[in-house]
Amino acid sequence: MSLTDLTIAAARDALRAGEVTAAELTEAHLTAIEGAGALNAFVHHTPDVAREQARAADARIKAGDAPDMCGIPIGVKDLFCTKGVASQAGSRILEGFLPEYESTITEQLFTSGAVMLGKLNMDEFAMGSSNETSVYGNAVNPWKAGNSDANLTPGGSSGGSAAAVAARLCLGALGTDTGGSIRQPAAFTGITGIKPTYGRCSRWGVVAFASSLDQAGPMTRTVRDSAIMLRAMSGHDPRDSTSADLPVPDFEAMLTGDIRGKVIGIPREYRMDGMPAEIEALWQQGTDMLRDAGAEIRDISLPHTKYALPTYYVIAPAEASSNLARYDGVRFGHRASLSQGDGITEMYEKTRAEGFGDEVQRRVMVGTYVLSAGFYDAYYNRARRVRTLIKRDFETVFADGIDAILTPATPSSAFELGAMADADPIQMYLNDVFTVTVNLAGLPGIAVPTGQDAKGLPMGLQLIGRPWEEGALMDVAQCLEARAGFVAQPSKWW
């Protein structure tokens, strides 16, 4: 087995046993990255940082001081601020920005001994479902459909993270999820991705898109790996007012594989018109797998699900328009060249027109519109009220004894890059139809690879859990993972 085929759990055990060094593991992944330029997954390479961190990790392991992530090579989504390393959020407007500080999550991972291989591609400011809005160009899915040579989307916004993990360029990666941006790309690339409960992981030092929805999470090849990585990322941060002051359990120790007696809800509202037969069949297979494992399957209703997408696409742009107002060319990042006679207003206008891509500009304008004096109550306040109803739906079913909810992760397998170029933007937004409710309600959700479609592309199912019960959720997810037995890998073409 190649070193790049190891899981985080297997690499941890091999490092502790002295079967491999962190330096060897790091070099194997740096070599893999050098040969994978066609995927455009890594956009800022940090080999010197990685080698130095690997040397420090080997010293810790030799001294018997080896946390679970010590010596593990990871990729970091470009949304996380990393001290002295370019952190652009996939946008031209942050060109040249080198933070003088470290995000809380990357700091925690580096303190635990993790090794950063580089920064990963993403949709600009995390706004997108296909990784086609990035200033770096498209990230490419390592999977191909049947005999086609067409490049496929790895999903978005964490497309670079998903592609890197699936292509064996890193053992795990950081992603962020505002409306499905961990779970959708995980499903498109045949990996596991979890969005924790809102507040479980600090948002400090993570470039903001929509502050009440954003949450960081791990993207890995197995549920166990996600449990290991999530523990290292989690914890209270006094610098983040939304960070929960709760103890962080040992998520890996909670993976028992025994879900007998658990009650799994199947929401009828997720059976949508026009759902592909393959997704419907996969959902039924997943239901049967959990029933065979001893879980009770119960039909449930989440009646306000049909309002989730319009609610999300009012709240998220509204928060984005506020958060992105800080990018004006005055303090950092890109500044437009000015003509004689231009004043401060012209500088703002030109800088933002040049620095923001089309999708970001679209969402900023939508957000500004719904927050404007004449439309605040008609749109934004109404969306907030509906959000409360969506959250209440989940609270009701959990109070009725449901332990987890099983749904599709995406409405299709990965589509070709460029396929949505001329489509109505709403068609692209529909990729989030199964995932946005989880963000609106602040719940944990995990995507698990469960099967393949007729063209051999991976498909995933989503499990939604109770707030703060990520361990119990991942226990069910690991059971689903084991029953599905998904071991397929993309054939290396890059």
Side-chain angles (χ1 to χ4, degrees):
M1 176 185 284
S2 166
L3 291 180
T4 58
D5 285 323
L6 292 173
T7 61
I8 290 176
R12 172 194 61 187
D13 295 344
L15 286 163
R16 290 176 174 176
E19 297 168 3
V20 68
T21 66
E24 292 168 340
L25 198 57
T26 297
E27 288 300 331
H29 285 89
L30 290 174
T31 300
I33 292 167
E34 287 176 6
L39 299 179
N40 198 29
F42 278 87
V43 292
H44 297 294
H45 299 259
T46 58
D48 292 340
V49 172
R51 291 182 177 113
E52 180 58 35
Q53 290 176 332
R55 283 193 290 270
D58 279 330
R60 291 181 68 174
I61 293 167
K62 188 175 181 179
D65 171 29
D68 286 338
M69 289 297 294
C70 192
I72 301 298
I74 64 169
V76 176
K77 186 177 180 178
D78 194 39
L79 205 65
F80 292 81
C81 289
T82 43
K83 186 174 181 179
V85 177
S87 305
Q88 286 186 234
S91 179
R92 186 186 178 197
I93 206 160
L94 278 173
E95 196 171 44
F97 175 53
L98 301 177
E100 291 298 319
Y101 55 92
E102 197 74 51
S103 77
T104 296
I105 287 177
T106 51
E107 184 177 39
Q108 288 174 193
L109 285 167
F110 299 156
T111 299
S112 70
V115 175
M116 181 175 72
L117 299 167
K119 304 295 287 292
L120 294 161
N121 205 347
M122 57 173 286
D123 280 301
E124 184 181 10
F125 282 103
M127 298 182 194
S129 301
S130 63
N131 215 132
E132 293 178 278
T133 69
S134 171
V135 71
Y136 310 116
N138 304 337
V140 179
N141 195 324
W143 291 81
K144 294 287 190 181
N147 296 320
S148 172
D149 287 329
N151 286 337
L152 304 177
T153 175
S157 65
S158 305
S161 300
V165 173
R168 275 56 182 170
L169 307 184
C170 55
L171 295 187
L174 284 176
T176 61
D177 193 311
T178 305
S181 291
I182 286 175
R183 292 159 288 151
Q184 183 247 26
F188 276 2
T189 56
I191 67 170
T192 296
I194 181 169
K195 183 206 88 71
T197 309
Y198 182 80
R200 174 66 83 182
C201 298
S202 172
R203 293 186 300 108
W204 195 86
V206 183
V207 177
F209 165 13
S211 299
S212 74
L213 301 165
D214 299 342
Q215 188 60 199
M219 303 179 75
T220 63
R221 290 199 288 275
T222 69
V223 174
R224 182 172 297 278
D225 285 0
S226 284
I228 293 168
M229 193 168 170
L230 180 60
R231 185 187 184 192
M233 296 168 54
S234 300
H236 176 60
D237 180 6
R239 294 174 295 188
D240 175 7
S241 63
T242 63
S243 172
D245 190 3
L246 294 172
V248 178
D250 184 345
F251 298 119
E252 185 184 11
M254 300 174 75
L255 302 179
T256 66
D258 184 0
I259 64 165
R260 287 174 295 180
K262 298 287 186 183
V263 183
I264 308 299
I266 309 296
R268 63 178 63 100
E269 290 80 10
Y270 281 59
R271 300 187 186 281
M272 308 216 168
D273 293 340
M275 180 187 291
E278 289 176 316
I279 298 292
E280 180 78 37
L282 184 77
W283 193 9
Q284 185 58 54
Q285 290 163 14
T287 302
D288 294 341
M289 290 173 194
L290 295 178
R291 182 186 288 113
D292 291 344
E296 176 190 338
I297 305 299
R298 188 184 301 172
D299 287 335
I300 62 171
S301 177
L302 299 168
H304 294 92
T305 293
K306 61 184 176 181
Y307 304 117
L309 269 179
T311 298
Y312 175 85
Y313 280 103
V314 169
I315 291 174
E319 296 186 8
S321 70
S322 177
N323 279 324
L324 270 60
R326 72 194 70 179
Y327 304 111
D328 52 18
V330 175
R331 288 152 293 189
F332 51 82
H334 174 73
R335 177 184 293 181
S337 299
L338 301 180
S339 303
Q340 187 173 3
D342 282 346
I344 189 73
T345 301
E346 287 77 16
M347 187 195 74
Y348 289 160
E349 291 172 348
K350 289 182 178 180
T351 295
R352 291 167 69 82
E354 292 177 8
F356 289 147
D358 291 345
E359 182 60 28
V360 173
Q361 291 187 34
R362 178 185 294 117
R363 297 200 195 192
V364 167
M365 286 190 289
V366 169
T368 302
Y369 178 82
V370 300
L371 289 176
S372 60
F375 302 100
Y376 187 90
D377 287 328
Y379 292 102
Y380 185 66
N381 262 345
R382 184 171 295 182
R384 289 173 59 207
R385 289 195 292 270
V386 175
R387 180 181 188 174
T388 300
L389 296 175
I390 291 169
K391 186 172 184 287
R392 190 177 301 162
D393 286 347
F394 285 103
E395 291 170 346
T396 299
V397 298
F398 288 136
D400 288 341
I402 297 297
D403 294 298
I405 298 167
L406 180 70
T407 79
T410 60
S412 70
S413 57
F415 49 87
E416 290 185 17
L417 288 165
M420 297 280 196
D422 298 322
D424 186 315
I426 293 173
Q427 291 300 114
M428 183 69 83
Y429 298 164
L430 289 172
N431 276 284
D432 303 328
V433 65
F434 298 124
T435 52
V436 296
T437 53
V438 178
N439 299 80
L440 290 167
L443 299 172
I446 186 169
V448 180
T450 321
Q452 293 170 271
D453 68 6
K455 294 180 283 189
L457 296 177
M459 299 189 296
L461 291 175
Q462 173 181 233
L463 284 158
I464 304 168
R466 298 168 178 264
W468 313 115
E469 295 188 14
E470 292 89 355
L473 175 65
M474 285 189 279
D475 194 24
V476 179
Q478 189 187 51
C479 180
L480 181 63
E481 175 186 68
R483 294 272 168 164
F486 184 91
V487 294
Q489 296 183 30
S491 299
K492 186 171 179 179
W493 55 266
W494 55 93

